[in-house]
Amino acid sequence: MWILLLLPFIGLLWVPFYNFLEPALFGFPFFYWYQLAWVPISSLLIWLVYRRLPPDEAA
């Protein structure tokens, strides 16, 4: 489960992967909305990893 926490790092640190203007979403270039989309995705991944921890390690 801990490997899930690497996804935001890989997805956001590799800039050539998302350094584009198109496709735009609500007038925002891909560069911006891709980064903003990772905020809730990262929160969900952190929550999933936290929920999978045993109760003594989660506190």
Side-chain angles (χ1 to χ4, degrees), residues 48-59:
L48 286 172
V49 171
Y50 174 76
R51 295 292 292 167
R52 297 290 297 183
L53 288 177
D56 60 336
E57 290 183 30

Side-chain angles (χ1 to χ4, degrees), residues 2-58:
W2 288 97
I3 203 81
L4 289 176
L5 297 179
L6 289 176
L7 292 175
F9 289 107
I10 295 168
L12 290 169
L13 289 179
W14 190 33
V15 178
F17 181 69
Y18 61 92
N19 191 15
F20 303 107
L21 293 176
E22 294 294 327
L25 181 67
F26 303 118
F28 290 101
F30 181 73
F31 182 80
Y32 291 114
W33 68 260
Y34 176 83
Q35 292 178 41
L36 290 174
W38 274 103
V39 174
I41 293 170
S42 298
S43 299
L44 178 66
L45 292 174
I46 291 169
W47 179 77
L48 286 172
V49 171
Y50 174 76
R51 295 292 292 167
R52 297 290 297 183
L53 288 177
D56 60 336
E57 290 183 30

